[in-house]
Amino acid sequence: WSASICKTMAAKKNKSHKNTLMKKSETPPDLDPASASEEEESVYDSDGYDDEQSEDSNDDDINDEDPDSDDEEEFEDQGSSDEDEDILEKQREDDDSSEGDVEILDEIEDYEAPRTWKKQAKRNVAGHEKEITSKEANWVHADDLSSDDEDEAGFGNRIGRIPLHWYDEYDHIGYDAHGSKVIKLDGKGDRLDQAISNAEGFKRFMVDDALNGKEIELSERQLELIRRVQGGAFAHPEFDGNPDYIDYFSGVDKEISGLTSGRIERKSKFQSNAYERIQIQKLLEELKEGKITIDQLRGKMKTKDKNEPYLLWTGDEEDELAMRKGPQHLPAPKLPPPGHAESYIPPDEYLPTEKDLKEWEDMDPIDRPHGLLVPKKFDNLRSVGAYQHSVREAFQRCLDLYLCPRSMKRRLNIDPESLVPKLPKAQDLRPFPTTKCIEYKTPYDGDVAPVIRCVSPSPDGNYLASGASDGIVRLWEVQTSRLLRSWNISKIVTQLEGKDAKSSESDSILTITSLEWNPNKLHHCLLAAIGKCIVIIATGTGNADGSVVTKALLTPAKNGGKVTNDRAAKAVQWKAMAVDDGKPVSAYDENSGPIAALQTTREVASVRWHKKGDYFVSVSPKAGAGAVLIHQLSKGNSQQPFSKNKGEAQLACFHPNKPFLFVASPQHVRIYHLVKQSMVKRLISGCRWISSMDVHPTGDHLIVGSLDRRMVWFDLDLSNTPYKTLKYHERALRSVGYHSKYPLMASASDDGAVHVFHSMVYSDLMRNPLLVPVKILRGHTVTNKLGILTIAFHPTQPWIFTGGADGRIILFQDI
């Protein structure tokens, strides 16, 4: 812009000198700092423009006789001002004289002006040009807005159309053409500083260039363009908004030229030719004969060309035959492709021996391996003769196609993989136990280790209780696998029942069949089922608060209890034990060891606590109506909920939230409402013998393990039949269980393996539970056809404890 402006202004300056310095008398005001504010109003204030335009109009009236003012008048048609132009021209002359970098042309003829277009005049009716007084053509000024002229040195920002906020954290705002950083503009100051600097007149027309990080001063031409846009005029004064119409037709008006005005069209143009008459006659004949319809003539239906070639076999023959009328077409079955026996060079294993040939002669051709064909080996293909049974086999083939009945079978093209449910990866379902970490070694006398029948961790997860076939309950520390206490419950129960311990070792040693820690964190006691007794053991592991609560809870049991129900009094008796078994584990507890026993009429198979830790249920399968007993520890009382025996009860457990009692027989699970004293539902398991049972923490799901290798999942809200039946183990299931916090489920079997499942139960009733097998844990050895007999999840961690017939207790962790 600066170069073109300087050249144009230099040309105007020379022209003004040649015209006797007409405008020299009109001295434009200088743009000094004192008059900066007034100049701003003249540029940006519309009221100022109106005043100036009124003055300019008076000047124009005075200078109408100036022959050189045609250019100015044409420029004023777009809404410009002579006074503003004079001011800008004066500033350009001052800049040119101060800088001295622009060479002023002495003569206007040496300056190469841009080309101009002469406006083409319109023609009248007679074809003559209109007489239009044309003004002298203006100098057309064209801006070169290419990026190369704007930034020849290449120091401008070259990042392109990239958001500038990407460089907010950096001290630069991009890179130039040389690869150098474009530093941000510092020291701009606030709005007040900018206003002061503008008022001083040094930086009145500065624009902040955010892309290049610098301030740019607007030139006079740019200010003029802004003023014209604000005034509603075109930006460039050279632009003609209403140009004269240019008739690009090279000749005169054809309507009045006389070349084609008197011409008459030929008669043959309105008549059809002979070929068209023949085609119309053919179409009419076909329409009368019914070969075509009026829709085909109108183009609504396409006619098939009989001479058009078509494919004989398109692959749709079977579909066309199936859609046609009449009996359904049944395609003939295809012959199997030839095998290795039909080859002229068959492998040696396909060549029959003499013994095979004799056997084939006694057999029918249908029963032979290759029918009538006897595999033979030839040196080359030319040595192969004609097949002697070809006519016979072709005749049999024709009989098969003609006589044998066939039926259409529709096959579904379904990908087998699409039928398999898409399960998530096991790595995405962590955490779950994966690795054997700690082993708890049971001390024993003799050559054979005692069988671990049951394990139960404390609610805080710091201690573990185990019961074995030697009748001893052992207390372990989970983190260190250290044996803290051991109580010989078998010896105590034997003395309680009045048996002679010296009579026989096999009769005196009783096996602990069930063991469970109190689920309440403040109740530090556990239950052990051994023989016909249920022993209440104080663990001595409580803290300051837990020891006080446990002491108050066990006080009625120490006093011998009091059974108020007559039927329950016949089935169970509470007996206190004055046994001091040494110092307790915790310094806050006073008692440690067995404190009371509940003696029943039959052997106890299972004991389970209620979630609150006050009630517990015991099962004696051979006790008849008194097989299921409910006991309350805080009152030392017992109840017999059933007066009749409906099947032989094997297991029993409480619902975690509702007053429901689950009682499992060998094949069914019955749910009883303890408040209403009625049966709610009977679950049909489909198992032969139920061995274990556990309820989900939400109380809406139940799993059952059986001795016939089945693990059955029941959805209590869905149906009384199994929701899923899993059969992954090779031998009988001994124990199943849910985790109290994590979506985990596990099953143990006599095959020495523990199967861990991811069992996610959703709160949305419309969504089915997600059950995915994630890990198989192995670490126990099968002893006397017995594997893992008991499992128990850690209450707070995704760990699992396992106890087996090999006398070992193993802790598997998620590592």
Side-chain angles (χ1 to χ4, degrees):
W1 291 355
S2 60
S4 59
I5 289 172
C6 292
K7 290 180 180 180
T8 305
M9 294 298 104
K12 288 186 177 182
K13 185 175 181 181
N14 293 334
K15 187 175 180 179
S16 62
H17 282 289
K18 287 184 178 182
N19 293 319
T20 66
L21 301 176
M22 180 177 293
K23 293 186 179 180
K24 195 170 184 180
S25 61
E26 299 177 2
T27 304
D30 296 334
L31 294 178
D32 53 352
S35 61
S37 59
E38 298 178 0
E39 186 61 28
E40 285 186 358
E41 294 178 358
S42 65
V43 176
Y44 294 102
D45 192 359
S46 60
D47 298 336
Y49 286 143
D50 297 336
D51 299 335
E52 292 173 2
Q53 289 177 1
S54 62
E55 294 176 3
D56 294 338
S57 62
N58 298 328
D59 297 339
D60 293 337
D61 296 336
I62 297 173
N63 298 329
D64 285 341
E65 298 178 358
D66 190 359
D68 295 334
S69 63
D70 295 336
D71 297 343
E72 300 297 334
E73 292 178 358
E74 187 174 358
F75 183 80
E76 286 302 321
D77 291 341
Q78 303 297 330
S80 62
S81 175
D82 289 340
E83 185 177 355
D84 295 339
E85 289 295 333
D86 295 339
I87 295 172
L88 295 176
E89 185 176 356
K90 179 63 177 178
Q91 291 179 353
R92 296 190 192 100
E93 292 175 359
D94 295 341
D95 294 338
D96 295 340
S97 61
S98 61
E99 294 176 358
D101 296 335
V102 181
E103 181 181 358
I104 300 176
L105 301 178
D106 295 332
E107 296 181 358
I108 191 63
E109 289 78 12
D110 296 337
Y111 174 71
E112 183 179 359
R115 63 176 182 174
T116 58
W117 289 267
K118 182 180 181 181
K119 295 183 180 180
Q120 187 174 3
K122 295 184 179 180
R123 297 177 182 267
N124 53 14
V125 179
H128 302 289
E129 292 184 357
K130 295 180 180 180
E131 294 182 0
I132 300 175
T133 304
S134 61
K135 299 181 180 180
E136 187 177 355
N138 296 331
W139 293 98
V140 179
H141 177 69
D143 292 335
D144 189 3
L145 302 178
S146 62
S147 60
D148 296 333
D149 294 339
E150 290 180 357
D151 187 15
E152 297 179 356
F155 294 105
N157 200 345
R158 299 299 177 91
I159 61 174
R161 295 184 178 180
I162 294 178
L164 297 180
H165 64 83
W166 289 2
Y167 292 88
D168 292 342
E169 300 178 2
Y170 303 92
D171 57 348
H172 62 284
I173 201 168
Y175 300 89
D176 55 10
H178 306 287
S180 302
K181 294 182 179 179
V182 178
I183 306 302
K184 291 182 179 179
L185 181 61
D186 295 331
K188 293 182 182 179
D190 53 2
R191 298 285 184 179
L192 184 59
D193 296 339
Q194 295 179 5
I196 294 174
S197 61
N198 293 335
E200 293 175 358
F202 297 102
K203 297 181 179 180
R204 287 191 305 157
F205 307 107
M206 304 298 293
V207 178
D208 185 8
D209 187 2
L211 179 63
N212 296 310
K214 59 183 180 181
E215 292 183 352
I216 298 176
E217 184 177 2
L218 296 179
S219 61
E220 289 79 359
R221 178 173 178 77
Q222 293 172 349
L223 293 175
E224 176 64 15
L225 294 179
I226 295 173
R227 185 191 67 78
R228 294 180 64 83
V229 171
Q230 287 183 345
F234 292 102
H236 290 270
E238 298 86 357
F239 181 80
D240 188 6
N242 299 307
D244 294 336
Y245 174 75
I246 300 175
D247 189 7
Y248 292 97
F249 183 70
S250 58
V252 296
D253 202 347
K254 63 180 182 179
E255 294 182 358
I256 61 175
S257 61
L259 298 177
T260 59
S261 60
R263 189 173 180 178
I264 301 175
E265 299 291 343
R266 295 179 301 171
K267 185 177 180 181
S268 60
K269 185 177 181 180
F270 303 96
Q271 296 178 352
S272 61
N273 54 18
Y275 178 76
E276 291 178 353
R277 287 197 299 270
I278 295 173
Q279 295 295 327
I280 293 172
Q281 189 67 26
K282 287 183 178 180
L283 291 175
L284 291 175
E285 292 177 358
E286 292 180 358
L287 185 61
K288 291 179 180 179
E289 295 176 359
K291 295 181 180 180
I292 60 175
T293 60
I294 193 65
D295 294 335
Q296 292 178 353
L297 289 177
R298 293 177 178 176
K300 295 182 180 180
M301 295 178 59
K302 294 182 179 180
T303 57
K304 295 183 179 179
D305 189 1
K306 297 180 180 179
N307 298 326
E308 184 180 357
Y310 60 93
L311 296 175
L312 293 177
W313 298 279
T314 59
D316 301 333
E317 294 84 7
E318 299 295 336
D319 297 337
E320 294 178 358
L321 292 173
M323 296 298 293
R324 71 176 184 177
K325 297 181 180 179
Q328 186 179 9
H329 173 72
L330 299 177
K334 298 180 180 180
L335 291 175
H340 295 286
E342 285 81 359
S343 175
Y344 71 95
I345 310 177
D348 295 337
E349 58 267 18
Y350 287 92
L351 296 176
T353 60
E354 295 181 358
K355 183 178 179 180
D356 295 336
L357 293 175
K358 291 180 180 180
E359 292 179 356
W360 290 1
E361 291 178 358
D362 299 336
M363 298 171 60
D364 293 335
I366 300 176
D367 299 333
R368 296 177 186 176
H370 308 292
L372 296 173
L373 177 66
V374 178
K376 295 181 181 180
K377 197 169 188 179
F378 299 92
D379 296 337
N380 47 44
L381 186 59
R382 291 180 297 176
S383 302
V384 180
Y387 183 46
Q388 56 181 350
H389 302 293
S390 59
V391 178
R392 183 177 177 181
E393 288 186 354
F395 179 71
Q396 293 292 336
R397 172 67 175 170
C398 292
L399 292 179
D400 293 340
L401 297 177
Y402 178 70
L403 298 177
C404 295
R406 298 187 297 272
S407 61
M408 177 65 71
K409 292 184 179 180
R410 296 188 178 275
R411 297 180 180 179
L412 298 177
N413 296 326
I414 299 176
D415 188 9
E417 296 182 357
S418 62
L419 301 177
V420 179
K422 295 182 180 180
L423 299 178
K425 296 182 180 180
Q427 300 296 331
D428 300 336
L429 302 177
R430 285 180 175 271
F432 53 84
T434 57
T435 309
K436 173 185 174 181
C437 293
I438 301 176
E439 181 178 349
Y440 305 88
K441 295 183 178 179
T442 304
Y444 59 91
D445 296 334
D447 298 334
V448 180
V451 178
I452 306 299
R453 299 298 300 271
C454 45
V455 293
S456 180
S458 61
D460 55 2
N462 295 329
Y463 303 99
L464 175 69
S466 65
S469 60
D470 56 357
I472 299 177
V473 175
R474 296 176 174 87
L475 183 64
W476 308 83
E477 190 176 10
V478 173
Q479 297 294 338
T480 61
S481 69
R482 182 165 61 98
L483 180 61
L484 300 178
R485 291 289 182 272
S486 296
W487 298 289
N488 193 345
I489 306 300
S490 176
K491 182 178 179 181
I492 298 173
V493 172
T494 302
Q495 294 176 359
L496 183 64
E497 293 179 353
K499 295 182 179 180
D500 188 4
K502 297 181 180 179
S503 60
S504 175
E505 293 183 359
S506 60
D507 296 338
S508 60
I509 298 177
L510 302 176
T511 301
I512 297 177
T513 57
S514 181
L515 181 71
E516 188 169 6
W517 204 296
N518 196 312
N520 196 329
K521 293 183 178 181
L522 297 177
H523 300 170
H524 296 272
C525 60
L526 55 88
L527 299 175
I530 178 171
K532 299 179 181 179
C533 296
I534 304 170
V535 182
I536 303 172
I537 303 174
T539 59
T541 58
N543 51 14
D545 297 334
S547 60
V548 176
V549 176
T550 304
K551 182 179 179 181
L553 180 68
L554 299 178
T555 299
K558 290 181 181 180
N559 298 331
K562 185 179 181 181
V563 180
T564 58
N565 192 351
D566 296 337
R567 291 186 302 176
K570 297 178 182 179
V572 63
Q573 295 180 2
W574 289 66
K575 294 183 179 181
M577 293 183 180
V579 179
D580 188 7
D581 195 37
K583 186 177 179 181
V585 176
S586 176
Y588 299 98
D589 280 328
E590 299 178 358
N591 300 324
S592 176
I595 61 170
L598 282 73
Q599 189 174 3
T600 61
T601 57
R602 297 290 183 177
E603 293 184 356
V604 182
S606 173
V607 290
R608 296 291 293 271
W609 283 100
H610 190 268
K611 183 180 180 180
K612 295 183 179 180
D614 189 15
Y615 289 90
F616 62 94
V617 61
S618 63
V619 179
S620 301
K622 303 296 183 181
V628 180
L629 298 175
I630 299 176
H631 314 276
Q632 186 177 7
L633 185 59
S634 61
K635 295 182 179 180
N637 194 7
S638 299
Q639 301 177 18
Q640 182 179 338
F642 306 111
S643 59
K644 296 180 181 180
N645 183 16
K646 293 184 179 180
E648 185 177 344
Q650 300 292 325
L651 300 168
C653 61
F654 291 100
H655 192 281
N657 303 322
K658 299 179 182 179
F660 291 166
L661 179 66
F662 297 87
V663 179
S665 61
Q667 296 179 354
H668 305 281
V669 178
R670 292 179 174 86
I671 305 175
Y672 296 95
H673 199 293
L674 297 178
V675 177
K676 297 181 180 180
Q677 299 181 1
S678 62
M679 186 177 70
V680 178
K681 187 182 293 186
R682 185 170 68 97
L683 305 179
I684 302 173
S685 64
C687 303
R688 295 183 180 180
W689 195 276
I690 295 176
S691 61
S692 56
M693 178 177 61
D694 194 16
V695 184
H696 195 267
T698 60
D700 296 334
H701 302 273
L702 177 73
I703 53 172
V704 172
S706 66
L707 298 180
D708 56 349
R709 304 182 300 149
R710 298 174 185 270
M711 183 172 64
V712 181
W713 178 305
F714 287 98
D715 190 345
L716 302 181
D717 296 333
L718 184 64
S719 174
N720 59 348
T721 56
Y723 168 68
K724 282 188 180 296
T725 300
L726 307 178
K727 199 173 182 179
Y728 291 105
H729 291 279
E730 299 177 357
R731 293 187 180 180
L733 269 70
R734 295 294 179 177
S735 179
V736 294
Y738 286 108
H739 199 286
S740 59
K741 291 186 177 181
Y742 291 91
L744 295 175
M745 181 183 68
S747 62
S749 173
D750 284 337
D751 56 2
V754 176
H755 288 225
V756 182
F757 299 86
H758 176 84
S759 56
M760 174 61 73
V761 176
Y762 301 98
S763 58
D764 187 5
L765 298 179
M766 301 299 295
R767 192 172 182 181
N768 295 328
L770 178 63
L771 186 62
V772 182
V774 293
K775 189 65 177 178
I776 299 178
L777 304 176
R778 302 182 187 275
H780 294 269
T781 58
V782 180
T783 305
N784 297 329
K785 297 182 180 181
L786 296 177
I788 300 175
L789 302 179
T790 179
I791 58 173
F793 279 105
H794 194 279
T796 59
Q797 298 293 333
W799 304 343
I800 189 171
F801 299 94
T802 60
D806 54 356
R808 296 189 299 169
I809 303 173
I810 299 176
L811 172 61
F812 293 90
Q813 297 181 357
D814 58 328
I815 296 178

